Amino acid sequence: MTTPSITGRAVLLGALTIVGALCYVVYVGQGMRVGSYVHSQFPMAVFMPFVLWIGANVLLARLWPRLALSQGELLTILAMLWMVGTVPQLGWMHYWTLTLAAPHYLASAENQWIETFFHFIPWHVFPDSSERVIDTFWYGVAEGQPVPWDGWLRPLAQWLGVSMGMVTFGYCLLVIFHRQWSEAEKLTYPLAQMPMDLTRGFDGGRGLPAIFRSFAFWAGFAVVFLPMFYNVITYFSPGLPEATIYREMYYIPLGDGMPHLYIRILPLVMAVVYLCPVDILGSLTLFHLLALLKEGAMRSVGFTVGSAGQQIGARDILFLESYGAVVFIGVWSVWLARRHLREVWRQVRHGTGDERDVVGYRLTVCGLVLSAVWVIGWAVSLGMSLPVAMGAFALMSLTYFVTIKLLVATGFSYLFPNKPHIKGESFFVQLVGTSVMSPKTLVGFKIFTSNMFFGTFRIPAWPAIAHHLHIFSLRRQPRWVTGAVFVAFPIGFLIAAGATLDLSYQQGANVVTAGRPGAMAEFYDDIARKLGEPTYLDPGKWGVWLAGWFEAGLIALMRSRFYWFPLHPIGLAFQYTFGLWLYWFNIMLVWVIKLTLLRYGGVQLYRAGKPFFYGLAIGYVTGVTLSVAVDLVWFPAQGHHTHGW
């Protein structure tokens, strides 16, 4: 099978697609309130333009074959857009702009921020605090008044610079582990496999890839698209009832003191997790249902953990147990790769082996070290002490690394670590205690671990990089593969930031956020609270964290000793995360279907089912796209909700 290739034309089209897609997401989706497209590690903001490019390429292949794009060019556009797909809207930029503009706007005599921590804030990474910059951001500029871009140039340069450091570190880290994951552990990369299958055939002289000529594909397409098409018809006939199966979230109450059981059917999730191994699907389902029972049991008896004044309840106990499992998986993953890492180090140190590998790994290790030093140095410039900066960066990188690896293994794009854990905040706050930090370190630490820094729980760039390295050959096209990453990210960051700021100044951030800057106030209130009420090292919480660590270790040990053992530690690590709350039912449904197909038809029947599930995804994206197009033409002031959580 030929490896897809990157071309200069594809990189140019990828850059233009980034500009168009991110402007649409901000100005139309966010500005006109007609859609939210950034909800997962592989968001609709990425998949929608990709599907549109496939449709356009089918027409080009039929009408102007010389202009048609190859499979590699289509995948290049996808990969570049994916690098920045989680940057706009609530994926990151929304929080970044609002939180940076909030301190002077929301400070008051009542909250006493100025007296408590303003003298510790690293103002060099914040915008100009003048009324010309801050007040007009929240209320909007007067007609004819220009946007005060000069007040944002310094923070834009600061945050883009450190973000490029994070992209570089992630790229180098994933280059080092790519061969281990692809060849030794044979991870399946479902989020790369599906786009490759959808574009396979464009290089063969046919205008339509083989998968689009499958009856099963069109059956899956119809199952999803027809109800969504019917809903579009109801826009013009308000009396007709809507079909809400792919839009609504249902819940089942489990009784007093028990959490609700959420049910949300999303075809995009079902399409990619169909490619996920059955043991992982079963583990995700089982551990989530067990977590519900554990939470209910702890609530019923009022069980808490922690010293007086800093106890945590049932849900936070589950979160902390999962965090211990996440850290174990990270350490375990490095241990599994120990032979590969020794080989990489041997090539770096002694220069033995293929010259291309030696040069590549030497550059990669240099990039890894220099980017880590750059990011940690920037964290110190926020006011953090060096040990805290190094610890927070290491914990953040470890959690990102684990999330990416498990995303590569499962294709479940809604795989999110719990928010307090993803950037290491809870490790210091709940386990170590903030009492070991000076006030200046604590303020810098909160900024470094906030939604302002390199995304929320939707991780920028890293998920795309892992799949980008799987789709394209770094050995064959090192410059193009690397260049596509470092062209895409700065363009996407600047477009998303510029469009978000422009929209805020034109409409007023209070209007854009529906008058709810409360989340930003909560962030700064939390800084003031932690300065006044420090936390201390807590043996009880350490016990919960270590329990998660050893539970995950036991599962890993059983898997290594007994090939038939059906559980995977991913289930424990993500047992009660946001993505599983919403989409566990999709995973369970696909798990049952896949087990049935494999049991009665073997691998051949499983492969025959793939086009049907791909059809579900394309049908959903086509339905959302049709709804958006109808809204823009006939209902520009009152968009209809078609895609969300």
Side-chain angles (χ1 to χ4, degrees):
M1 189 179 297
T2 304
T3 303
S5 297
I6 301 174
T7 66
R9 178 175 71 158
V11 172
L12 176 60
L13 291 175
L16 294 175
T17 303
I18 288 171
V19 174
L22 297 196
C23 284
Y24 170 82
V25 168
V26 174
Y27 287 114
V28 178
Q30 187 173 339
M32 298 176 64
R33 268 76 75 184
V34 300
S36 181
Y37 304 99
V38 184
H39 291 295
S40 73
Q41 312 288 14
F42 183 68
M44 185 68 81
V46 174
F47 201 46
M48 273 180 65
F50 176 65
V51 172
L52 289 173
W53 265 112
I54 290 177
N57 205 51
V58 169
L59 294 177
L60 287 173
R62 296 290 179 121
L63 302 176
W64 299 283
R66 292 183 179 180
L67 297 180
L69 304 179
S70 67
Q71 180 190 33
E73 289 175 322
L74 288 169
L75 294 172
T76 300
I77 294 171
L78 170 73
M80 291 181 66
L81 184 56
W82 195 356
M83 300 292 168
V84 292
T86 61
V87 173
Q89 282 192 321
L90 293 172
W92 178 13
M93 205 49 63
H94 180 87
Y95 294 104
W96 182 79
T97 54
L98 294 178
T99 311
L100 284 177
H104 286 284
Y105 174 71
L106 297 176
S108 65
E110 290 76 17
N111 59 38
Q112 297 186 330
W113 293 353
I114 296 175
E115 297 83 359
T116 305
F117 60 79
F118 264 38
H119 48 294
F120 298 124
I121 287 183
W123 293 111
H124 62 281
V125 302
F126 283 72
D128 189 298
S129 60
S130 65
E131 293 182 2
R132 179 181 66 89
V133 175
I134 299 301
D135 287 3
T136 53
F137 172 85
W138 291 98
Y139 297 114
V141 295
E143 187 174 352
Q145 183 180 349
V147 173
W149 294 109
D150 58 299
W152 287 87
L153 292 179
R154 183 177 62 180
L156 274 171
Q158 286 270 349
W159 291 90
L160 175 58
V162 72
S163 298
M164 290 300 294
M166 285 296 295
V167 171
T168 303
F169 184 84
Y171 180 78
C172 295
L173 183 68
L174 293 169
V175 165
I176 290 172
F177 277 89
H178 172 68
R179 188 170 294 175
Q180 167 69 19
W181 292 355
S182 295
E183 299 177 8
E185 299 183 41
K186 298 188 183 303
L187 303 184
T188 55
Y189 291 82
L191 290 175
Q193 186 177 337
M194 184 173 69
M196 292 175 74
D197 288 343
L198 291 173
T199 55
R200 186 168 289 119
F202 279 120
D203 295 340
R206 310 187 81 171
L208 194 67
I211 193 140
F212 293 104
R213 296 191 295 274
S214 165
F215 173 79
F217 173 87
W218 291 109
F221 181 93
V223 166
V224 176
F225 178 74
L226 290 179
M228 299 183 76
F229 178 70
Y230 166 78
N231 283 342
V232 172
I233 296 174
T234 67
Y235 299 170
F236 302 93
S237 303
L240 290 175
E242 292 184 68
T244 60
I245 183 172
Y246 302 124
R247 194 188 66 191
E248 291 296 319
M249 184 185 303
Y250 308 93
Y251 68 90
I252 302 172
L254 299 179
D256 294 339
M258 294 289 290
H260 294 319
L261 193 64
Y262 292 94
I263 295 179
R264 165 84 160 92
I265 297 176
L266 189 63
L268 282 178
V269 172
M270 297 177 66
V272 288
V273 299
Y274 181 74
L275 306 175
C276 177
V278 290
D279 62 330
I280 293 179
L281 293 175
S283 297
L284 288 169
T285 303
L286 175 63
F287 278 100
H288 178 67
L289 296 178
L290 285 175
L292 293 175
L293 296 177
K294 288 191 289 186
E295 183 185 6
M298 286 187 284
R299 280 184 177 182
S300 65
V301 299
F303 183 76
T304 61
V305 168
S307 305
Q310 53 186 35
Q311 298 98 331
I312 56 174
R315 184 163 294 183
D316 287 326
I317 291 172
L318 292 174
F319 289 169
L320 200 56
E321 180 189 25
S322 292
Y323 189 34
V326 166
V327 176
F328 171 82
I329 293 174
V331 175
W332 178 49
S333 297
V334 174
W335 173 254
L336 288 177
R338 62 192 182 279
R339 292 187 180 88
H340 170 68
L341 295 176
R342 280 200 297 265
E343 175 62 20
V344 169
W345 179 242
R346 185 182 65 80
Q347 293 187 46
V348 170
R349 185 175 181 182
H350 301 293
T352 56
D354 188 288
E355 184 179 355
R356 288 176 297 178
D357 289 341
V358 171
V359 173
Y361 280 135
R362 282 178 171 174
L363 290 174
T364 298
V365 170
C366 287
L368 190 78
V369 173
L370 292 176
S371 58
V373 170
W374 168 250
V375 175
I376 292 170
W378 188 85
V380 171
S381 78
L382 298 178
M384 298 169 67
S385 66
L386 182 59
V388 172
M390 293 174 65
F393 174 73
L395 289 166
M396 184 187 309
S397 299
L398 183 69
T399 309
Y400 280 13
F401 171 76
V402 170
T403 304
I404 303 310
K405 181 179 180 180
L406 297 179
L407 185 67
V408 159
T410 65
F412 181 43
S413 60
Y414 289 85
L415 200 66
F416 306 130
N418 291 305
K419 277 188 177 181
H421 309 320
I422 190 167
K423 296 179 180 177
E425 179 180 359
S426 61
F427 189 90
F428 282 93
V429 173
Q430 295 187 0
L431 298 177
V432 177
T434 59
S435 59
V436 302
M437 300 184 193
S438 69
K440 188 175 182 180
T441 289
L442 179 59
V443 172
F445 171 78
K446 285 290 294 180
I447 292 172
F448 188 71
T449 57
S450 72
N451 286 336
M452 286 188 285
F453 182 71
F454 207 64
T456 57
F457 51 60
R458 286 150 290 201
I459 304 171
W462 286 34
I465 290 170
H467 294 84
H468 179 66
L469 293 170
H470 182 72
I471 293 171
F472 301 103
S473 172
L474 183 62
R475 289 183 93 238
R476 190 164 63 86
Q477 289 189 296
R479 291 189 178 92
W480 282 117
V481 171
T482 305
V485 175
F486 292 97
V487 168
F489 188 82
I491 292 175
F493 181 94
L494 293 173
I495 291 297
T500 303
L501 288 170
D502 183 60
L503 179 66
S504 297
Y505 278 103
Q506 299 304 330
Q507 295 189 8
N510 276 317
V511 175
V512 173
T513 61
R516 292 175 297 181
M520 284 69 247
E522 290 175 9
F523 169 71
Y524 290 105
D525 283 338
D526 189 55
I527 292 178
R529 182 167 51 252
K530 284 183 167 54
L531 285 170
E533 302 172 3
T535 59
Y536 299 88
L537 186 146
D538 197 315
K541 293 176 184 176
W542 271 104
V544 173
W545 187 86
L546 289 171
W549 170 288
F550 286 113
E551 287 167 347
L554 178 61
I555 295 171
L557 177 64
M558 293 294 290
R559 285 177 64 85
S560 67
R561 292 287 185 270
F562 305 103
Y563 71 91
W564 49 263
F565 190 73
L567 298 180
H568 191 287
I570 184 179
L572 181 64
F574 290 84
Q575 62 179 335
Y576 216 32
T577 52
F578 185 59
L580 272 185
W581 284 341
L582 298 180
Y583 301 117
W584 71 272
F585 183 75
N586 297 263
I587 294 171
M588 185 187 73
L589 189 60
V590 173
W591 177 46
V592 172
I593 292 171
K594 191 169 178 180
L595 280 175
T596 303
L597 293 177
L598 291 171
R599 172 67 176 81
Y600 295 103
V603 175
Q604 185 176 358
L605 188 56
Y606 158 71
R607 289 175 178 168
K610 277 206 302 185
F612 176 83
F613 282 87
Y614 288 173
L616 297 180
I618 301 300
Y620 183 79
V621 172
T622 305
V624 172
T625 305
L626 176 64
S627 176
V628 167
V630 169
D631 279 343
L632 290 177
V633 176
W634 284 283
F635 307 98
Q638 53 180 68
H640 296 84
H641 177 80
T642 54
H643 177 69
W645 287 113

